[in-house]
């Protein structure tokens, strides 16, 4: 058996059916033949060009887009569209979306959003007081208890992002798909979230797919890194290898363009 | 005021003075912004950094005039010769998009899902009467400027057909469309890879240098700030805790909060360990701590309190008495460098 996530030859296309009023356009492959493995307790970062298909790969993993070709398995079980997945599989794979505010229900308070996750998956709901559990979970992601009573419209961008992380962690996933999950956080809060993820990795055997444009953060937490460009995976290596010995010209270009705070002169 | 005055004659383009924003909360009014003051000079870029939830977006929303309906404001927003806070709603609508434009932090939430990107980014030229046939080519030009590949095809896409970073660039295109004198850019590059990010930052810099467009740039990315910002404003708990020339502030921060941020930036070209987060939890504007709002988490007050006899209970971390009881003013520590810390001084080294 192959434990964890295995993506084989994934291909996703959009369009081609013709819009409502527009002439039909040829389908465009957003993801074209991507293969990737994420073992238990492993953190695999996906970096690369804006528009290269990272979010599309992530949405395929959680079953929100239907691939045209290829397979995705988790612990040898083939994963179909979200609706067709048994509840324990739905729970095991959670995603933090790139646009946190739009991924939260605008009519629900942050507390209600967490309670809904527990109602959906009672097996992992807290045994004791849900109020207390909510406070603890919010504190873990650096939010004060008053956030529980507020709707997304009354939260900052980074606060929405952390509610979204808390919602995913609330149901004790085995695999967490993070799509730019710390991009709206100041570096101090970001460090707190990264430490939380690293802890969960060892405490709960959490595996993580970590999509990010922040190469510094990626270098801190990734075991392996996959680089995408134009729907394809152009390079995959262990984190240290990739940073010290990038092979693909695109990877080299990315590293060259990355800024550091050190050595800045005005 | 005549139009031919040079920036030097007119002083800062935007002068934010003692801005306060109060929102109703379940336990009474909450002062989200507390006496925020800073300026944006013509043709300059002011960077705004600070803790998540510290009021950066709220500050930008106050300037663009899109605060929640039940918000109460005080202070002044001097835009050239007028105060925007007291301007008529009609005047504010006129300013929005044409004189001051905003790149919103949440592109997906601020774009209309039912309209093509091309249509949305040309809204202002359309309202200003640009002929139809020019609108199409304007949309393509704008998308091209923000590095969207295949712009003619992409102009017909709806927001959900764009990637996160493409939506972010569409927001930038929308802001450019009205040829504003000031752009409020709220996290404009978080969804961009470093190569595209570099090109967008270069575009913004060109606007500054060639057309004198000023910018208020909100970003958590201190590396971006170091490369783009002329001046820097640091916020914590709805207040300004430090401001000054960006390179100086980043090289030698005066305020302990700024210092903590600078030390937490992950390195790219060397492996760095995950930084120690600040102890305690972020300040809640509804229960701002007494004295200095940063005192429950401040590393410096603990050092300053050592050896000073105070009423600290055994077992709790020592806090200097002044930090607990007296709110620090934003003081000029050295020419052009301001900090809201009792113990900031030219000599203090950390
Ligand atoms: N629902 C959709 N319909 C049509 N095209 C889509 C759709 N979703 C994504 N695309 C297209 O697929 C490509 C990949 O998009 P994706 O969102 O996966 O990129 P990404 O790597 O996540 O980019 P970013 O870093 O900017 O978020 C883009 O060209 C995008 O325009
Ligand atoms: N309607 C509201 N009622 C009460 N509090 C609110 C409301 N809207 C925003 N807040 C609070 O105001 C504070 C400032 O929010 P703002 O969006 O300006 O933060 P920010 O500095 O932009 O943070 P981020 O970096 O996370 O985007 C936050 O603590 C937020 O929770
Ligand atoms: S005034 Fe005191 S608590 Fe506030 S930043 Fe300075 S040392 Fe820290
Ligand atoms: Mg994406
Ligand atoms: Mg914000």
């Amino acid at each position: 058996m192959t434990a964890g996530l295995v993506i084989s030859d994934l291909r996703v296309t959009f369009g081609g059916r013709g819009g409502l009023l527009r002439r039909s356009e040829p389908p465009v492959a957003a993801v074209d033949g991507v293969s990737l493995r994420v073992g238990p307790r492993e953190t695999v970062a996906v970096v690369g060009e804006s528009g290269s298909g990272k979010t599309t790969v992530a949405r395929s993993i959680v079953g929100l887009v239907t691939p045209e070709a290829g397979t995705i398995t988790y612990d040898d079980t083939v994963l179909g569209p979200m609706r067709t997945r048994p509840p324990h599989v739905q729970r095991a794979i959670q995603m933090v979306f790139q646009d946190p505010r739009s991924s939260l229900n605008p009519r629900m308070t942050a507390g209600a959003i967490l309670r809904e996750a527990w109602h959906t998956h009672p097996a992992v709901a807290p045994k004791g007081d849900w109020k207390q559990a909510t406070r603890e979970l919010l504190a873990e992601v650096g939010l004060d208890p008053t956030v529980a009573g507020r709707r997304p419209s009354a939260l900052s961008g980074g606060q929405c992002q952390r509610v979204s992380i808390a919602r995913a962690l609330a149901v004790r996933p085995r695999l967490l798909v993070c799509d730019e999950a710390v991009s709206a956080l100041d570096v101090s809060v970001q460090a707190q979230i990264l430490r939380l993820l690293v802890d969960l990795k060892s405490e709960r055997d959490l595996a993580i797919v970590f999509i990010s444009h922040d190469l510094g953060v990626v270098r801190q937490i990734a075991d392996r890194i996959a680089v995408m460009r134009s729907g394809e995976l152009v390079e995959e290596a262990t984190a240290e290898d990739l940073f010290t010995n990038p092979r693909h010209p695109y990877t080299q270009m990315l590293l060259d363009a990355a800024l550091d705070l050190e050595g800045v002169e005005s | 005021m005549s139009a031919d005055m040079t920036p030097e004659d007119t002083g800062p383009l935007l002068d934010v003075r003692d801005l306060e924003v109060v929102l109703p909360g379940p336990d009474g009014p909450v002062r989200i912004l507390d006496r925020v003051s800073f300026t944006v000079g013509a043709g300059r870029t002011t960077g705004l950094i600070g803790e998540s939830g510290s009021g950066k977006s709220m500050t930008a929303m106050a300037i663009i005039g899109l605060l929640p309906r039940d918000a109460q404001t005080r202070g002044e927003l001097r835009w050239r010769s007028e105060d925007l806070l007291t301007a008529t709603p009609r005047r504010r609508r006129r300013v929005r998009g044409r004189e001051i434009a905003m790149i919103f932090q949440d592109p997906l939430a601020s774009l209309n899902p039912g309209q093509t990107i091309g249509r949305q980014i040309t809204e202002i030229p359309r309202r200003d009467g640009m002929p139809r046939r020019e609108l199409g080519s304007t949309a393509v030009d704008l998308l091209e400027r923000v590095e969207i590949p295949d712009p003619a095809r992409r102009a017909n896409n709806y927001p959900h057909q764009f990637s996160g970073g493409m939506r972010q660039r569409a927001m930038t295109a929308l802001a450019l469309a009205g040829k504003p004198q000031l752009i409020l850019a709220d996290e404009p590059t978080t969804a961009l890879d470093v190569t595209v990010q570099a090109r967008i930052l270069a575009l913004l810099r060109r606007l500054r240098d060639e057309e004198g467009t000023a910018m208020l740039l909100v970003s958590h990315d201190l590396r971006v700030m170091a490369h783009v910002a002329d001046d820097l404003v640091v916020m914590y708990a709805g207040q300004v805790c430090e401001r000054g020339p960006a390179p100086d502030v980043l090289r030698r921060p005066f305020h302990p909060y700024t210092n903590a941020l600078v030390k937490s930036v992950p390195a790219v070209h060397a492996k760095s360990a995950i930084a120690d987060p600040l102890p305690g939890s972020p300040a809640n504007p509804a229960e701002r701590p007494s004295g200095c709002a940063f005192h429950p988490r401040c590393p410096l007050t603990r050092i300053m309190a050592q050896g000073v006899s105070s009423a600290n209970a055994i077992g709790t971390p020592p806090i200097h008495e002044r930090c607990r009881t007296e709110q620090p003013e934003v003081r000029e520590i050295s020419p052009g460098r301001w900090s809201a810390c009792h113990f900031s001084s030219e000599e203090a080294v950390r």
Side-chain angles (χ1 to χ4, degrees), chain B residues 255-257 292-295 298 300-301 304 323 328 340-344:
Chain B
H255 196 281
Y257 176 64
C292 174
F294 189 52
H295 87 246
C298 180
L300 182 61
T301 191
M304 299 313 284
C323 302
C341 169
H342 293 311
F343 302 109
S344 287

Side-chain angles (χ1 to χ4, degrees), chain B:
Chain B
M1 180 168 292
S2 68
D4 55 10
M5 277 185 149
T6 58
E8 287 76 27
D9 298 324
T10 52
L13 197 57
L14 176 76
D15 189 351
V16 179
R17 288 189 202 162
D18 291 324
L19 178 66
E20 285 193 24
V21 171
V22 177
L23 285 175
D27 308 309
V30 182
R31 201 176 324 134
I32 305 282
L33 297 185
D34 185 22
R35 289 177 300 150
V36 169
S37 299
F38 62 88
T39 59
V40 186
R44 285 181 78 81
T45 297
T46 296
L48 186 53
I49 64 173
E51 181 156 68
S52 168
S54 61
K56 303 179 297 296
S57 297
M58 203 63 91
T59 301
M61 290 301 220
I63 297 167
I64 196 83
L66 292 175
L67 286 173
R69 234 176 273 284
D70 46 8
Q72 290 179 344
T73 51
R74 248 193 295 185
E76 257 180 282
L77 286 176
R78 292 242 135 243
W79 171 241
R80 296 134 113 219
S81 57
E82 64 187 312
D83 179 11
L84 290 176
L85 277 189
T86 55
T88 62
R90 190 161 165 235
R91 170 72 188 133
R92 296 223 77 179
R93 275 198 301 279
R94 185 72 212 164
V95 170
R96 195 178 305 141
R98 294 177 186 84
E99 296 177 31
I100 306 178
M102 179 146 173
I103 301 170
F104 293 94
Q105 187 175 12
D106 302 275
L108 194 53
S110 15
L111 289 167
N112 179 344
Q115 249 179 28
T116 63
I117 296 284
R119 156 111 207 182
Q120 294 184 60
I121 60 177
T122 49
E123 190 59 41
I124 295 227
R126 180 189 322 274
R127 271 195 265 148
D128 288 346
M130 183 183 275
R132 253 195 93 155
R133 65 199 136 69
E134 278 175 46
L135 287 171
S137 60
T138 302
V140 176
D141 281 352
L142 284 167
L143 290 180
E144 192 155 31
R145 283 175 83 191
V146 296
E147 309 280 337
I148 300 283
D150 200 357
R153 178 173 71 88
R154 289 299 191 166
N156 295 321
N157 277 178
Y158 290 86
H160 78 273
Q161 296 172 308
F162 267 34
S163 79
M166 288 160 61
R167 286 191 285 264
Q168 209 164 39
R169 282 174 276 166
M171 294 275 357
T172 301
L174 197 159
L176 299 184
K179 301 197 171 64
Q181 289 124 297
L182 171 66
I183 298 177
L184 312 173
D186 197 352
E187 301 283 3
T189 62
T190 50
L192 305 181
D193 65 82
V194 285
T195 64
V196 174
Q197 170 178 284
R199 293 202 292 271
I200 294 294
L201 293 175
L203 166 71
L204 295 175
R205 237 182 327 220
R206 266 199 315 279
L207 281 174
R208 175 186 70 182
D209 298 341
E210 289 164 19
E211 308 191 15
T213 311
M215 185 160 61
L216 179 67
L217 174 66
V218 180
S219 175
H220 287 302
D221 194 333
L222 273 61
R223 296 163 292 202
V224 164
M225 285 304 179
H227 284 82
V228 189
D230 301 305
D231 306 297
L232 200 61
V233 179
V234 189
M235 287 184 72
Y236 184 83
Q239 300 167 332
V240 170
C241 62
E242 174 156 13
R243 62 192 156 85
D248 300 354
V249 173
L250 292 173
R251 208 174 302 123
R252 196 159 84 90
F254 278 154
H255 196 281
Y257 176 64
T258 319
N259 192 47
L261 284 184
V262 169
K263 282 199 310 198
S264 304
V265 178
V268 177
H269 298 288
K271 189 169 167 68
S272 57
I274 301 172
D276 291 325
L278 287 163
S281 52
N284 168 6
E287 298 165 16
R288 209 171 266 119
S290 64
C292 174
F294 189 52
H295 87 246
R297 316 179 69 190
C298 180
L300 182 61
T301 191
R302 286 161 172 71
I303 297 169
M304 299 313 284
Q306 267 157 25
V308 179
S309 67
S310 63
N312 289 312
I314 314 251
T316 61
I319 307 280
H320 195 284
E321 194 54 30
R322 266 187 89 189
C323 302
R324 205 202 325 263
T325 56
E326 190 188 325
Q327 188 180 340
E329 292 296 320
V330 187
R331 294 181 295 129
E332 191 165 19
I333 310 296
S334 68
R337 301 264 332 244
W338 300 72
S339 171
C341 169
H342 293 311
F343 302 109
S344 287
S345 73
E346 183 81 86
E347 300 78 46
V349 224
R350 282 181 281 278

Side-chain angles (χ1 to χ4, degrees), chain A residues 132-152:
Chain A
Q132 178 61 25
T134 302
R135 270 195 296 274
E136 284 169 13
L137 190 53
L138 290 177
E140 274 195 298
V141 294
L143 293 172
D144 70 77
T146 67
V147 166
R150 281 190 260 153
R151 294 193 171 83

Side-chain angles (χ1 to χ4, degrees), chain A residues 7-228:
Chain A
I7 302 174
S8 320
D9 269 326
L10 185 72
R11 184 179 154 84
V12 181
T13 55
F14 290 111
R17 281 178 298 270
L20 221 44
L21 299 167
R22 302 202 175 275
R23 67 198 182 288
S24 120
E25 286 179 356
V28 181
V31 175
D32 200 359
V34 165
S35 301
L36 189 67
R37 274 205 53 190
V38 185
R41 252 172 292 127
E42 220 184 354
T43 300
V44 177
V46 182
V47 304
E49 200 176 31
S50 169
S52 63
K54 303 179 298 296
T55 296
T56 307
V57 169
R59 292 171 67 87
S60 309
I61 297 171
V62 293
L64 288 173
V65 299
T66 313
E68 185 183 271
T71 54
I72 303 178
T73 63
Y74 184 75
D75 286 352
D76 285 336
T77 312
V78 175
L79 300 177
M82 170 95 100
R83 286 167 287 103
T84 66
R85 299 183 180 184
H88 75 274
V89 175
Q90 283 188 22
R91 179 187 71 72
I93 306 177
Q94 290 291 317
M95 175 157 170
V96 180
F97 293 87
Q98 185 170 14
D99 294 85
R101 195 180 295 277
S102 343
S103 79
L104 301 173
N105 185 333
R107 283 175 295 278
M108 281 164 83
T109 62
I113 286 168
L114 298 183
R115 285 195 297 277
E116 189 194 42
W118 288 328
H119 278 299
T120 315
H121 300 289
V124 289
K127 300 284 170 287
D129 182 2
W130 280 21
K131 272 223 167 73
Q132 178 61 25
T134 302
R135 270 195 296 274
E136 284 169 13
L137 190 53
L138 290 177
E140 274 195 298
V141 294
L143 293 172
D144 70 77
T146 67
V147 166
R150 281 190 260 153
R151 294 193 171 83
S153 60
L155 296 173
S156 79
Q159 287 167 339
C160 286
Q161 196 164 48
R162 284 174 280 164
V163 169
S164 183
I165 294 170
R167 173 180 63 181
L169 294 178
V171 298
R172 306 179 73 88
R174 305 295 313 282
L175 173 68
L176 186 65
V177 183
C178 293
D179 194 357
E180 297 291 349
V182 295
S183 64
L185 306 178
D186 64 85
V187 281
S188 177
V189 170
Q190 182 176 284
Q192 180 180 356
I193 301 290
L194 296 179
R195 294 209 160 189
L196 174 66
L197 294 181
V198 170
D199 287 349
L200 292 176
K201 195 173 145 174
S202 53
E203 282 165 23
R204 294 193 203 155
D205 289 349
L206 182 69
I208 304 171
V209 175
F210 194 86
I211 298 171
S212 177
H213 288 301
D214 190 325
L215 297 173
V217 167
V218 163
R219 190 164 193 175
Q220 285 180 331
I221 77 154
D223 300 311
R224 276 187 302 124
I225 302 174
V227 184
M228 283 190 72

